Amino acid sequence: MQGNRVILLEKEKFPRWQIGESLLPSTVHGVCRLTGVADELAKAGFTKKRGGTQRWGANPEPWTFAFSVVAGITTKKSYAYQVERSKFDQILLDHARRMGVDVREQHAVTDTISNEDRILGVSYKDAAGNSGKISAKYVVDASGNKSRIYHKVGTTRQYSEFFRSLALFGYFEGGKRLPPPNSGNVLSCAFDSGWFWYIPLSPTLTSVGAVVRREMASRIQGDPEEALMALIAECPMISDYLRDAKRVTEGQYGELRVRKDYSYTNTKIWRPGMVLIGDAACFVDPIFSSGVHLATYSALLAARSINSVLARTIDENTAFREFEQRYRREFGVYYEFLAAFYDLNVNEDSYFWSAKKVTRSTNSELESFVELVGGVSSGETALATDDSPVGYYKRRSKEFASAVDELVANNEQSMVPIIRSPIVKSAMREGAKEQARVLLGEDAGPETPILEGGLVPSADGLTWSVPA
Ligand SMILES: Cc1cc2nc3c(=O)[nH]c(=O)nc-3n(C[C@H](O)[C@H](O)[C@H](O)COP(=O)(O)OP(=O)(O)OC[C@H]3O[C@@H](n4cnc5c(N)ncnc54)[C@H](O)[C@@H]3O)c2cc1C
C-alpha cells in the first residue's frame, strides 16, 4: 500500500488447517478494513459473533458479554466472526497477492542472513528441495509459535510458569446453539479440570476444545478420544450442547489434536533489519480469543515502523521502540486480564488455584498465583505500580468479579458495569481505537502518544508521525 516491495514466504500450500477461529472486532473492522479486505470477508458467510457467553466464576448461570457496549465501536460494527481458518487465511493470502505482494507458497524459511550490525535477508527451501536466498531491508518473522528464526533477534523465550496448559480439541456436527441473538457467540465453560471452548463455525459445525492443566498430559496422549469424551462428561453444559452431535472424523476436521498453549513472551522482539510479530513474538492463553488480534495488531505496528523508516521520516530506533512499547503494553493488558479472569473461579480445587500446588508455596493461593503469573510480561502494569503486585491483582479481580455479579443480576440488560471494570476497559481500548480510526479517519480527532515522547499513527494509519 506504500509502494514497498514485499515477498511473502509461506511453508504450506493453502488452504491449510489452523487453530484460532474466534476473532475480535478490531481485526475485522480495524486491520482488515484498513488493508481493504473487510468487504471480501463480509461476503464469505462466516458466523457473526456478537460477543462471548461464559459459564465461569461463582455464578452457576452463564453470563454474556456483548461487543456493542464498547466505546468507539458503533452498534453496526459491534461483531466479529467465527472463522474456519483455512478459508479466512486463504482470503488474506489472496488479498495480499492482489495488493502486489510476491507470495511464494511451499517456501520454508530455513535461516537468516546477517552481518554484525543487521539482519540482511533469509534463506529458504522450496517444495522441490531447491535452496535460495533473498535479501531484504526488513525481515518480518510471522511464522508462528514454531518459528525457526525468532531467536535471531538475540532473544530468549520466557514461559509463564502458571499458564502452562494443554488443549485437546476436535469438531462436531449438529451441536446445540445458544438462543438468539447470541447463537454466534463463543461459549466458554469452566469446570474442575479446566475450561471448554465451544465455537459455532457454521449453523451445524462446532469447534470444541478442552484446555486442561499439564499434569493431564499422559491421560490425553494415551487415548485422546476417550479423554475428550471423559472431559465432556465432566462439564454439564457442554455435555448438554453436544448430546445429539456427532464428532467429525474425516477431512481437515477429522482428527483430534493436542496443543501445548503455554503463554510466553520474548526478551527481545526486534533488532536492526528484523522484527517478530504474532505468535513468533508472544502468546497468551486463548480464553479471550486474543491471538489473531495480537497477530494482526502487531503486524500493523510493525508495518507502520517499517514504512516510516523506509520513507526516511522516522529513524529506526525510534520507530521500533514505538512498535515494541505498544505491542508489549497490549500483550500485558491481556495477560493481566487473564489473571483476573482465572481468579474469578472460586473453587479452590480447580485448575486455577493449582498455582499453589505447582509452586509448593507456603504462601496464600493468590500470592502463589501472582508469583507465577508475574514477570512474564514486562509491559505489565502490576509490576510498575507502587502497589504490591498481590494487592494490585486482588483489587483488579475483585472489581472484575463484582462487575460480573452485577451483570448477572441485571440479566444482561446493561453492560455498563463490566465496561466500567478497569481491566475490561483497558483490554478493549486499543482495539476500539484502531477501529474508530479506520471508521472515522481524520474525524477521529488528533492522536496523543501513549508514552511520553512517543509517536502517533498518521492520519491514514499506515506510518508513524511525530505529534504536533
Ligand atoms: C488451543 C488454541 C486455541 C486458540 N484459539 C484462538 C481463538 O479462538 N482466537 C484467536 O484469535 N486465537 C486463538 N488462538 C491463537 C492463534 O491460533 C494464534 O495466536 C494465531 O494463529 C497466530 O497467528 P500467526 O500469524 O502469528 O501464526 P500462525 O497462524 O501460526 O501462522 C504462521 C504461518 O507461518 C507459516 N510458517 C511456519 N514456519 C514457516 C517457515 N519456516 N517458513 C515459512 N512459513 C512458515 C505457517 O505455515 C503458517 O501459515 C488459539 C491458540 C491455541 C493454541
Side-chain angles (χ1 to χ4, degrees):
M1 292 168 85
Q2 294 283 285
N4 299 315
R5 264 188 79 202
V6 182
I7 299 181
L8 189 157
L9 303 177
E10 166 56 56
K11 188 174 69 173
E12 305 285 338
K13 172 91 187 119
F14 278 27
R16 56 95 180 89
W17 174 89
Q18 175 63 297
I19 193 67
E21 296 154 330
S22 194
L23 305 187
L24 294 181
S26 59
T27 301
V28 174
H29 306 293
V31 177
C32 289
R33 174 69 54 197
L34 183 70
T35 49
V37 73
D39 290 337
E40 188 106 12
L41 288 179
K43 281 191 255 157
F46 295 123
T47 303
K48 271 193 184 174
K49 164 186 172 186
R50 284 177 79 239
T53 297
Q54 332 276 342
R55 221 313 293 134
W56 198 291
N59 204 305
E61 288 306 310
W63 48 277
T64 293
F65 170 78
F67 296 128
S68 55
V69 291
V70 181
I73 304 182
T74 62
T75 317
K76 271 195 173 159
K77 305 287 176 195
S78 57
Y79 61 85
Y81 299 121
Q82 316 284 17
V83 298
E84 295 188 57
R85 284 286 300 268
S86 53
K87 292 183 186 161
F88 177 74
D89 292 12
Q90 180 81 64
I91 292 172
L92 297 195
L93 197 72
D94 290 345
H95 181 68
R97 241 183 217 119
R98 269 196 309 275
M99 300 295 287
V101 173
D102 176 354
V103 174
R104 303 184 193 175
E105 292 175 72
Q106 295 178 294
H107 280 61
V109 170
T110 49
D111 207 348
T112 53
I113 308 163
S114 57
N115 64 18
E116 264 176 33
D117 301 327
R118 303 184 65 81
I119 298 286
L120 301 168
V122 292
S123 49
Y124 65 84
K125 210 164 228 171
D126 68 18
N130 302 316
S131 302
K133 287 185 176 176
I134 292 172
S135 58
K137 290 198 173 117
Y138 283 98
V139 170
V140 180
D141 182 9
S143 61
N145 66 331
K146 293 209 189 85
S147 167
R148 291 178 60 159
I149 56 167
Y150 77 92
H151 57 280
K152 293 298 176 97
V153 295
T155 182
T156 46
R157 207 173 252 194
Q158 293 183 314
Y159 287 90
S160 158
E161 273 297 316
F162 182 70
F163 298 115
R164 296 175 72 176
S165 324
L166 282 179
L168 167 63
F169 49 102
Y171 295 82
F172 289 79
E173 272 291 336
K176 217 164 121 173
R177 293 289 176 259
L178 286 159
N182 296 327
S183 55
N185 280 12
V186 56
L187 169 65
S188 319
C189 246
F191 66 114
D192 279 357
S193 301
W195 62 274
F196 266 102
W197 77 72
Y198 188 95
I199 302 175
L201 292 177
S202 80
T204 58
L205 180 67
T206 312
S207 165
V208 179
V211 178
V212 296
R213 55 173 166 257
R214 61 189 150 159
E215 296 90 83
M216 294 179 79
S218 56
R219 185 172 149 199
I220 282 172
Q221 276 148 1
D223 185 341
E225 180 89 39
E226 197 182 289
L228 184 63
M229 294 311 154
L231 290 167
I232 291 170
E234 260 188 64
C235 187
M237 190 164 179
I238 298 296
S239 298
D240 174 41
Y241 270 55
L242 290 176
R243 180 150 301 131
D244 300 321
K246 264 208 158 73
R247 192 170 82 71
V248 180
T249 52
E250 282 174 359
Q252 63 165 329
Y253 297 129
E255 64 180 284
L256 288 179
R257 293 175 163 102
V258 179
R259 268 278 300 265
K260 287 186 216 166
D261 66 339
Y262 295 179
S263 298
Y264 58 80
T265 183
N266 278 290
T267 49
K268 286 186 74 177
I269 54 174
W270 74 278
R271 69 171 273 200
M274 180 167 173
V275 57
L276 312 182
I277 61 170
D279 285 4
C282 53
F283 177 76
V284 61
D285 181 285
I287 183 69
F288 305 123
S289 312
S290 55
V292 175
H293 160 67
L294 286 170
T296 50
Y297 175 71
S298 58
L300 175 64
L301 298 178
R304 279 181 191 151
S305 298
I306 293 170
N307 286 338
S308 304
V309 177
L310 295 183
R312 297 173 199 271
T313 52
I314 309 277
D315 72 88
E316 189 173 54
N317 256 318
T318 309
F320 282 93
R321 197 172 55 225
E322 190 67 35
F323 157 80
E324 173 154 8
Q325 288 180 330
R326 285 186 186 247
Y327 191 8
R328 286 200 190 279
R329 190 183 74 149
E330 190 68 356
F331 177 82
V333 160
Y334 278 96
Y335 197 80
E336 286 190 2
F337 191 6
L338 189 63
F341 198 77
Y342 273 19
D343 190 30
L344 261 191
N345 214 296
V346 290
N347 178 357
E348 295 206 356
D349 292 331
S350 78
Y351 169 47
F352 316 113
W353 286 112
S354 65
K356 193 174 159 76
K357 291 178 207 148
V358 173
T359 51
R360 294 192 186 86
S361 168
T362 50
N363 297 337
S364 74
E365 277 84 356
L366 187 64
E367 277 160 338
S368 314
F369 180 75
V370 170
E371 274 168 23
L372 284 177
V373 298
V376 106
S377 150
S378 59
E380 264 190 288
T381 329
L383 304 176
T385 54
D386 296 337
D387 206 357
S388 79
V390 173
Y392 177 87
Y393 275 111
K394 232 179 208 154
R395 222 186 29 254
R396 287 274 154 145
S397 27
K398 232 193 214 136
E399 286 159 353
F400 184 51
S402 45
V404 169
D405 282 348
E406 227 182 291
L407 187 73
V408 176
N410 278 339
N411 204 7
E412 43 160 302
Q413 294 308 306
S414 160
M415 289 283 156
V416 171
I418 205 149
I419 297 307
R420 241 195 276 120
S421 148
I423 204 112
V424 178
K425 211 183 325 177
S426 41
M428 296 295 156
R429 188 180 298 138
E430 194 61 16
K433 231 164 68 188
E434 286 302 337
Q435 248 179 279
R437 181 177 306 112
V438 174
L439 285 170
L440 301 172
E442 293 193 7
D443 292 340
E447 287 277 350
T448 47
I450 63 165
L451 299 149
E452 219 181 295
L455 304 170
V456 292
S458 57
D460 65 5
L462 297 176
T463 58
W464 296 121
S465 312
V466 177

